[in-house]
Amino acid sequence: MGKSHHMNFTKDVSLAPYTTFKIGGPAEFFYEAGTIEEIVESVSQARALDLPVTLLGGGTNILIGDKGIRGLVIKNNTGAITIRGMKASYRSGKKVGSVYVEADSGVLFNKLVRFTVDEGLGGLEAHLGLPGTVGGAIYMNSKWTKAASKDAAQGIVTQNNRRRYFGTLPMPTSYVGDAVYQATILTPQNETKIVDRTFFRFAYDTSAIQKTGDIVLQVVFALTPGEKDGLWKVANHSIAYRRVSQPQGVKSSGCTFRNLSPAEAISVSSPNQTTSAGFLVDHAGLKGLKIGDAQISPVHANFIVNNGHASARDVVELIELARRKVKEQFGIELVEEIVRVGEF
Ligand SMILES: Cc1cc2nc3c(=O)[nH]c(=O)nc-3n(C[C@H](O)[C@H](O)[C@H](O)COP(=O)(O)OP(=O)(O)OC[C@H]3O[C@@H](n4cnc5c(N)ncnc54)[C@H](O)[C@@H]3O)c2cc1C
């Protein structure tokens, strides 16, 4: 790292424009990092001043409090993608080759998917359409439904026929963490470390850094050479299915609640023991409900949308109401997927 020089932190920057919810108060200090060195340097300077540090990726999975975030908020604009090399390895006795692709944590996930699919590399194609950055996707272990049938993979899923393809059965899921090989992290003690996939203990909506507070700087993905046309088919199917299953063109932070565990799903008398949190919110009669400008989406009950000038308070009240009603009716404690950040 070069010699330290004083960085330009801006005071009192409104964060709402940096989120897809368009909600949230100001950052006490704000800095846009364009390189990994700038992240490391700004974190170290903030910590030397005893300022807490918050990394902001695409702002697509967070709810920032109306009173904003104390300390330094770093908007991650890093964007490099590099093919690092190739290695033959053995999987269940079969020789397969891996290609290693390294991405800065600020790379938009969609850009990474398009890049790898264009290179004919398999492993991330199911995630085309995932908003946000590589760092946010590692923090959340973001996921998507794998193409459920050959027909569906042709990209011909519509609102009318989606039940035929998918029913209400739990669908197989692809996790971003599945393709991770290793990552460079910055620890709370300001050390830069290389860690492998197991470090993250990836599980549904879970990665170890949610507890450790490590910052992800770069990630190396292990990908498998594949057939470009086939990979694009899966990628395009993912987009097509997103269009029919998620509200489009609204201000939101994606799914509000985590889906149920299979054990919880069994305890609820729902069709096919669905694990869908949205199903419970819907069947508690809450679809379309409004508090202020915040509304439970009439399209997808697990999305909360901002119809104009919703406050974080409005959203929190809707969340609490939904949790209370679902608990009363189904005995299930819904857990939030959206990450609350800052002061409310
Ligand atoms: C329309 C819509 C559709 C969505 N669909 C899906 C979906 O299909 N599947 C899914 O899983 N999610 C989905 N999401 C949620 C969200 O897009 C993903 O979880 C995404 O990966 C979050 O990335 P981000 O960069 O926006 O994270 P942010 O919202 O910016 O941050 C989320 C958390 O990660 C932390 N973080 C960010 N970068 C770093 C870093 N470099 N190091 C350490 N911590 C970091 C932040 O501090 C914060 O706590 C959707 C959201 C929307 C709005």
Side-chain angles (χ1 to χ4, degrees):
M1 236 34 50
K3 253 185 88 196
S4 94
H5 57 283
H6 191 74
M7 312 202 80
N8 261 338
F9 298 162
T10 316
K11 238 184 157 299
D12 278 335
V13 174
S14 168
L15 292 171
Y18 295 95
T19 71
T20 47
F21 235 154
K22 306 296 174 210
I23 294 175
E28 187 181 7
F29 295 100
F30 185 74
Y31 177 71
E32 299 202 42
T35 63
I36 299 302
E37 288 72 20
E38 285 176 357
I39 297 181
V40 173
E41 192 60 28
S42 55
V43 169
S44 130
Q45 290 198 12
R47 286 178 176 162
L49 298 167
D50 268 332
L51 296 173
V53 173
T54 306
L55 259 279
L56 188 61
T60 68
N61 204 51
I62 50 171
L63 177 62
I64 296 176
D66 296 319
K67 297 196 181 113
I69 302 179
R70 276 199 289 163
L72 177 66
V73 174
I74 299 171
K75 169 79 179 103
N76 188 350
N77 291 338
T78 61
I81 304 178
T82 323
I83 297 187
R84 284 278 300 268
M86 242 186 242
K87 195 170 91 184
S89 59
Y90 288 84
R91 247 177 253 157
S92 9
K94 266 172 102 189
K95 191 178 173 193
V96 289
S98 287
V99 175
Y100 297 92
V101 173
E102 182 171 69
D104 283 354
S105 53
V107 167
L108 290 177
F109 214 87
N110 271 310
K111 180 178 154 191
L112 179 64
V113 175
R114 287 178 191 282
F115 174 88
T116 56
V117 169
D118 263 340
E119 293 287 329
L121 299 173
L124 300 176
E125 64 281 1
H127 299 287
L128 190 64
L130 177 71
T133 62
V134 166
I138 299 296
Y139 182 93
M140 298 302 301
N141 193 19
S142 302
K143 71 277 162 193
W144 188 245
T145 310
K146 279 183 180 155
S149 76
K150 224 172 130 219
D151 285 349
Q154 312 287 331
I156 48 169
V157 182
T158 66
Q159 188 75 53
N160 289 335
N161 65 16
R162 70 180 257 236
R163 287 237 175 273
R164 201 173 91 221
Y165 291 119
F166 300 106
T168 50
L169 286 169
M171 295 180 259
T173 301
S174 170
Y175 294 92
V176 166
D178 295 346
V180 169
Y181 176 66
Q182 65 179 36
T184 311
I185 60 167
L186 181 62
T187 69
Q189 293 72 39
N190 277 340
E191 290 160 339
T192 306
K193 273 209 294 202
I194 292 179
V195 294
D196 64 15
R197 188 175 161 276
T198 54
F199 166 86
F200 291 97
R201 302 176 184 280
F202 287 120
Y204 176 72
D205 276 348
T206 306
S207 124
I209 62 168
Q210 293 170 2
K211 293 231 165 77
T212 59
D214 294 306
I215 291 168
V216 180
L217 298 175
Q218 285 170 313
V219 181
V220 179
F221 293 91
L223 304 172
T224 314
E227 201 248 311
K228 194 166 141 176
D229 288 352
L231 295 173
W232 270 119
K233 264 185 192 159
V234 176
N236 287 329
H237 163 255
S238 284
I239 293 268
Y241 186 59
R242 232 170 236 286
R243 291 211 179 102
V244 298
S245 61
Q246 293 184 338
Q248 301 293 306
V250 294
K251 298 172 192 164
S252 88
S253 244
C255 285
T256 314
F257 299 108
R258 297 180 180 195
N259 283 329
L260 280 55
S261 68
E264 286 172 319
I266 286 168
S267 76
V268 179
S269 55
S270 62
N272 297 321
Q273 264 103 45
T274 180
T275 57
S276 158
F279 176 92
L280 300 189
V281 177
D282 189 1
H283 283 256
L286 301 172
K287 225 180 195 176
L289 188 77
K290 291 180 191 170
I291 294 182
D293 264 350
Q295 182 181 24
I296 296 186
S297 164
V299 179
H300 186 317
N302 203 12
F303 273 57
I304 290 178
V305 295
N306 171 7
N307 288 329
H309 300 96
S311 64
R313 201 15 62 207
D314 296 335
V315 175
V316 167
E317 278 179 27
L318 262 188
I319 288 174
E320 300 305 340
L321 182 67
R323 295 190 67 212
R324 208 166 57 238
K325 293 278 183 197
V326 165
K327 170 82 181 157
E328 274 168 22
Q329 196 160 331
F330 301 100
I332 297 285
E333 303 259 11
L334 288 178
V335 177
E336 277 163 60
E337 174 171 334
I338 290 180
V339 185
R340 293 191 202 185
V341 189
E343 324 249 315
F344 283 76

